[in-house]
Amino acid sequence: MRIGNGYDVHRLVKGRKLILGGVTIPFKKGLLGHSDADVLLHAVCDALLGAAGLGDIGLLFPDSNIKYKGISSMKLLRETCSMVADKGFAVVNLDTVILAEAPKIFPYKEEMIKNIAKATGIEPENINIKATTTEGLGFIGRGEGIGAMCVVLIE
Ligand code: MG
């Protein structure tokens, strides 16, 4: 059994779609990035890669590669999962936290879980998504960005 953790932050800007856990959320701003900037899925990918000893998302899907421009992070997660499986590992469970002052994540949680379950091939009950604000403190509290953390167990 092995454990991995992932952490990511993206900047919130006007004129971008907000995509979290593969779900497009109506909001006045979206996350800036080379891919679709799905900060939650990036944290999940990094946790999986860390657990399997495969490096990190920046190494495997560099933002200098035009191939990944605007790419759906669901695709990156599927690729990550197949690399983890190729090393002989199966995902046991994963636990995540989204750090955002706004919008409210709760209405979209089930759909995010469904998306991650599909990509990882594990049951939705083995996936947990939590969300918190930072009580108005720091860059997340000022609404300048959204962060995400993930811990995953593989065997
Ligand atoms: Mg990222």
Side-chain angles (χ1 to χ4, degrees):
M1 240 182 219
R2 295 167 65 117
I3 193 168
N5 82 93
Y7 173 66
D8 196 23
V9 169
H10 280 265
R11 186 185 290 270
L12 271 172
V13 295
K14 282 192 179 132
R16 290 268 302 185
K17 273 188 191 165
L18 177 61
I19 300 169
L20 289 173
V23 180
T24 303
I25 297 173
F27 193 54
K28 58 190 175 190
K29 288 178 174 182
L31 294 172
L32 185 63
H34 186 69
S35 65
D36 65 359
D38 189 327
V39 69
L40 175 62
L41 296 190
H42 291 183
V44 172
C45 285
D46 254 355
L48 287 163
L49 293 170
L54 286 167
D56 65 47
I57 196 171
L59 188 80
L60 290 163
F61 311 110
D63 61 7
S64 53
N65 190 334
I66 191 81
K67 192 178 143 190
Y68 300 119
K69 190 162 168 54
I71 197 170
S72 163
S73 297
M74 284 300 299
K75 206 170 166 204
L76 301 183
L77 179 59
R78 283 195 296 271
E79 276 189 44
T80 298
C81 288
S82 74
M83 281 187 270
V84 170
D86 284 349
K87 275 201 93 177
F89 293 114
V91 183
V92 178
N93 76 305
L94 58 91
D95 186 25
T96 66
V97 191
I98 299 168
L99 302 111
E101 205 57 34
K104 285 270 169 258
I105 303 301
F106 185 77
Y108 309 100
K109 238 166 76 167
E110 288 311 309
E111 208 180 333
M112 292 178 189
I113 289 173
K114 234 185 262 172
N115 286 342
I116 297 170
K118 219 167 144 189
T120 55
I122 63 173
E123 294 301 318
E125 70 220 41
N126 296 322
I127 297 163
N128 198 71
I129 294 175
K130 307 185 293 296
T132 185
T133 68
T134 59
E135 300 283 337
L137 296 169
F139 69 89
I140 289 170
R142 290 189 296 271
E144 294 166 10
I146 291 179
M149 296 190 268
C150 177
V151 175
V152 64
L153 204 63
I154 61 173
E155 65 181 353

mmCIF file of all heavy atoms in Angstrom, residues 8 11 14 19 21 52 70-73 76 81 91 95:
data_model
loop_
_atom_site.group_PDB
_atom_site.id
_atom_site.type_symbol
_atom_site.label_atom_id
_atom_site.label_comp_id
_atom_site.label_asym_id
_atom_site.label_seq_id
_atom_site.Cartn_x
_atom_site.Cartn_y
_atom_site.Cartn_z
ATOM 1 N N ASP A 8 -2.473 21.980 -5.517
ATOM 2 C CA ASP A 8 -2.380 22.871 -6.673
ATOM 3 C C ASP A 8 -3.168 24.146 -6.409
ATOM 4 O O ASP A 8 -4.103 24.164 -5.602
ATOM 5 C CB ASP A 8 -2.927 22.166 -7.929
ATOM 6 C CG ASP A 8 -2.511 22.878 -9.213
ATOM 7 O OD1 ASP A 8 -1.501 23.611 -9.203
ATOM 8 O OD2 ASP A 8 -3.205 22.709 -10.240
ATOM 9 N N ARG A 11 -4.950 30.717 -10.604
ATOM 10 C CA ARG A 11 -5.439 32.082 -10.477
ATOM 11 C C ARG A 11 -6.844 32.218 -11.097
ATOM 12 O O ARG A 11 -7.105 31.640 -12.151
ATOM 13 C CB ARG A 11 -4.458 33.001 -11.224
ATOM 14 C CG ARG A 11 -4.711 34.481 -11.092
ATOM 15 C CD ARG A 11 -3.734 35.238 -11.985
ATOM 16 N NE ARG A 11 -2.362 35.176 -11.503
ATOM 17 C CZ ARG A 11 -1.826 36.076 -10.660
ATOM 18 N NH1 ARG A 11 -2.545 37.089 -10.219
ATOM 19 N NH2 ARG A 11 -0.577 35.961 -10.279
ATOM 20 N N LYS A 14 -11.134 36.858 -15.163
ATOM 21 C CA LYS A 14 -12.339 37.027 -15.983
ATOM 22 C C LYS A 14 -12.106 36.417 -17.358
ATOM 23 O O LYS A 14 -10.971 36.364 -17.835
ATOM 24 C CB LYS A 14 -12.649 38.518 -16.118
ATOM 25 C CG LYS A 14 -13.304 39.057 -14.865
ATOM 26 C CD LYS A 14 -13.876 40.458 -15.087
ATOM 27 C CE LYS A 14 -14.538 40.914 -13.800
ATOM 28 N NZ LYS A 14 -14.137 42.274 -13.416
ATOM 29 N N ILE A 19 -13.876 25.342 -14.235
ATOM 30 C CA ILE A 19 -14.063 23.889 -14.324
ATOM 31 C C ILE A 19 -13.390 23.243 -13.116
ATOM 32 O O ILE A 19 -12.192 23.415 -12.901
ATOM 33 C CB ILE A 19 -13.485 23.327 -15.642
ATOM 34 C CG1 ILE A 19 -14.181 23.985 -16.841
ATOM 35 C CG2 ILE A 19 -13.649 21.803 -15.706
ATOM 36 C CD1 ILE A 19 -13.533 23.724 -18.180
ATOM 37 N N GLY A 21 -13.264 19.496 -11.009
ATOM 38 C CA GLY A 21 -13.654 18.092 -11.008
ATOM 39 C C GLY A 21 -14.380 17.694 -12.289
ATOM 40 O O GLY A 21 -15.250 16.828 -12.269
ATOM 41 N N ALA A 52 2.465 6.545 -6.851
ATOM 42 C CA ALA A 52 3.052 5.525 -7.722
ATOM 43 C C ALA A 52 4.539 5.776 -7.994
ATOM 44 O O ALA A 52 5.190 4.977 -8.674
ATOM 45 C CB ALA A 52 2.282 5.468 -9.040
ATOM 46 N N GLY A 70 -5.203 23.950 -23.531
ATOM 47 C CA GLY A 70 -6.659 23.904 -23.477
ATOM 48 C C GLY A 70 -7.216 22.509 -23.234
ATOM 49 O O GLY A 70 -8.439 22.307 -23.279
ATOM 50 N N ILE A 71 -6.352 21.547 -22.949
ATOM 51 C CA ILE A 71 -6.789 20.151 -22.800
ATOM 52 C C ILE A 71 -7.674 19.989 -21.566
ATOM 53 O O ILE A 71 -7.495 20.679 -20.552
ATOM 54 C CB ILE A 71 -5.567 19.188 -22.731
ATOM 55 C CG1 ILE A 71 -5.993 17.736 -22.987
ATOM 56 C CG2 ILE A 71 -4.832 19.307 -21.398
ATOM 57 C CD1 ILE A 71 -4.819 16.768 -23.179
ATOM 58 N N SER A 72 -8.649 19.087 -21.669
ATOM 59 C CA SER A 72 -9.493 18.769 -20.516
ATOM 60 C C SER A 72 -8.655 17.988 -19.509
ATOM 61 O O SER A 72 -7.987 17.016 -19.856
ATOM 62 C CB SER A 72 -10.687 17.923 -20.960
ATOM 63 O OG SER A 72 -11.271 17.307 -19.818
ATOM 64 N N SER A 73 -8.719 18.408 -18.259
ATOM 65 C CA SER A 73 -7.951 17.708 -17.226
ATOM 66 C C SER A 73 -8.531 16.330 -16.948
ATOM 67 O O SER A 73 -7.857 15.485 -16.354
ATOM 68 C CB SER A 73 -7.897 18.549 -15.958
ATOM 69 O OG SER A 73 -7.221 19.755 -16.230
ATOM 70 N N LEU A 76 -6.212 14.285 -18.764
ATOM 71 C CA LEU A 76 -4.945 14.137 -18.027
ATOM 72 C C LEU A 76 -5.110 13.114 -16.903
ATOM 73 O O LEU A 76 -4.223 12.299 -16.649
ATOM 74 C CB LEU A 76 -4.485 15.478 -17.452
ATOM 75 C CG LEU A 76 -4.237 16.611 -18.455
ATOM 76 C CD1 LEU A 76 -3.717 17.858 -17.733
ATOM 77 C CD2 LEU A 76 -3.262 16.202 -19.551
ATOM 78 N N CYS A 81 -4.169 7.786 -14.616
ATOM 79 C CA CYS A 81 -4.672 6.513 -14.075
ATOM 80 C C CYS A 81 -4.134 5.328 -14.863
ATOM 81 O O CYS A 81 -3.829 4.286 -14.274
ATOM 82 C CB CYS A 81 -6.200 6.498 -14.082
ATOM 83 S SG CYS A 81 -6.886 7.585 -12.833
ATOM 84 N N VAL A 91 -6.197 1.982 -7.418
ATOM 85 C CA VAL A 91 -6.559 3.046 -6.478
ATOM 86 C C VAL A 91 -7.504 2.476 -5.421
ATOM 87 O O VAL A 91 -8.436 1.737 -5.750
ATOM 88 C CB VAL A 91 -7.235 4.222 -7.219
ATOM 89 C CG1 VAL A 91 -7.544 5.367 -6.252
ATOM 90 C CG2 VAL A 91 -6.360 4.714 -8.365
ATOM 91 N N ASP A 95 -9.207 11.310 -1.036
ATOM 92 C CA ASP A 95 -9.863 12.352 -0.255
ATOM 93 C C ASP A 95 -9.317 13.701 -0.698
ATOM 94 O O ASP A 95 -8.106 13.867 -0.852
ATOM 95 C CB ASP A 95 -9.578 12.106 1.235
ATOM 96 C CG ASP A 95 -10.343 13.069 2.119
ATOM 97 O OD1 ASP A 95 -11.399 13.575 1.682
ATOM 98 O OD2 ASP A 95 -9.887 13.326 3.251
#
